[in-house]
Amino acid sequence: NAGVTQTPKFQVLKTGQSMTLQCAQDMNHNSMYWYRQDPGMGLRLIYYSASEGTTDKGEVPNGYNVSRLNKREFSLRLESAAPSQTSVYFCASSEARVAYEQYFGPGTRLTVT
Amino acid sequence: AQSVTQPDIHITVSEGASLELRCNYSYGATPYLFWYVQSPGQGLQLLLKYFSGDTLVQGIKGFEAEFKRSQSSFNLRKPSVHWSDAAEYFCAVGLDSNYQLIWGAGTKLIIKP
């Protein structure tokens, strides 16, 4: 039981390049989330998926797209990376509305030069 | 708008001393309340949560938190800290109206030997 897994762990991009961050969970959770973490700003929600087939914008969605591929997988895409997107990205999942308790992956550290 | 405030960016405590980390929230009704811990380079792990009932909740690693409705607070405590408790601690609030958590900016705990 791996919980929430994310790939890659580290990535360096040049401005304008694109990439997809992958996330998978094996806990049969309905809801999945993408956050970014910047120093002194806590966690900010980028997008979330309340259930398979649905996605919604969070606090900072600009510059990102998401795909809920199936119940297990939720990917985050940067179409044209910008230095402002340098951050640590976390994926999380939860059992729908139950308790809003979220389980986190280990994170992806992204640098855009 | 709902918000979560962790007034202390850093706290330094001697090993063996007691600890209290502060969290205040702004929300009309009783929210769901969480404390998470993030060790360096790691994802976030749930320490404890409050939904209803007994206002003193016990969590993992010897932590506890007390919900005080009159003060809109959910402070985290530990009677005696260990060097392994050095980490960043995040308070979060869950709203009944959607699936999102609102996060505090975090408090970094430094342990003096």
Side-chain angles (χ1 to χ4, degrees):
Chain A
N1 189 338
V4 180
T5 57
Q6 292 183 237
T7 55
K9 285 188 166 46
F10 302 94
Q11 184 72 48
V12 178
L13 291 178
K14 294 189 188 316
T15 297
Q17 287 185 317
S18 62
M19 79 161 296
T20 300
L21 281 63
Q22 306 286 355
C23 174
Q25 53 91 8
D26 61 3
M27 295 174 282
N28 202 35
H29 285 168
N30 289 301
S31 301
M32 297 185 73
Y33 308 81
W34 276 106
Y35 292 94
R36 60 179 288 172
Q37 184 180 36
D38 302 292
M41 301 189 73
L43 290 167
R44 292 185 292 170
L45 183 66
I46 305 171
Y47 271 93
Y48 68 102
S49 171
S51 61
E52 187 179 354
T54 68
T55 60
D56 286 285
K57 294 178 181 179
E59 181 185 356
V60 289
N62 291 345
Y64 305 95
N65 285 302
V66 291
S67 296
R68 183 75 182 265
L69 304 169
N70 48 54
K71 192 171 185 179
R72 289 187 65 248
E73 298 172 288
F74 188 39
S75 63
L76 178 73
R77 183 160 178 84
L78 287 69
E79 290 291 350
S80 178
S84 60
Q85 295 178 305
T86 294
S87 188
V88 181
Y89 291 85
F90 287 100
C91 177
S93 70
S94 71
E95 179 67 40
R97 290 178 68 87
V98 173
Y100 302 100
E101 179 175 335
Q102 296 183 10
Y103 295 82
F104 283 80
T108 295
R109 186 173 294 275
L110 175 67
T111 301
V112 183
T113 62
Chain B
Q2 297 85 7
S3 64
V4 178
T5 302
Q6 293 181 247
D8 303 304
I9 298 173
H10 299 99
I11 280 190
T12 301
V13 176
S14 297
E15 190 169 15
S18 63
L19 169 71
E20 183 169 26
L21 301 182
R22 295 182 290 164
C23 173
N24 292 93
Y25 65 90
S26 169
Y27 182 55
T30 300
Y32 305 113
L33 298 160
F34 304 84
W35 275 101
Y36 283 80
V37 60
Q38 184 181 30
S39 298
Q42 304 294 316
L44 281 76
Q45 180 184 21
L46 181 69
L47 278 177
L48 47 78
K49 59 192 177 189
Y50 172 80
F51 303 136
S52 64
D54 192 346
T55 56
L56 184 63
V57 294
Q58 303 297 321
I60 62 172
K61 307 186 181 191
F63 285 91
E64 65 178 27
E66 185 171 13
F67 169 56
K68 292 186 177 180
R69 185 190 309 273
S70 61
Q71 299 175 18
S72 297
S73 69
F74 188 57
N75 293 348
L76 182 71
R77 301 194 295 247
K78 187 170 185 178
S80 176
V81 298
H82 185 262
W83 64 267
S84 60
D85 293 323
E88 191 156 19
Y89 293 79
F90 292 91
C91 181
V93 169
L95 307 180
D96 205 34
S97 56
N98 60 42
Y99 295 84
Q100 300 181 37
L101 292 180
I102 298 174
W103 295 85
T107 297
K108 187 170 184 178
L109 175 63
I110 300 163
I111 307 294
K112 285 192 303 186

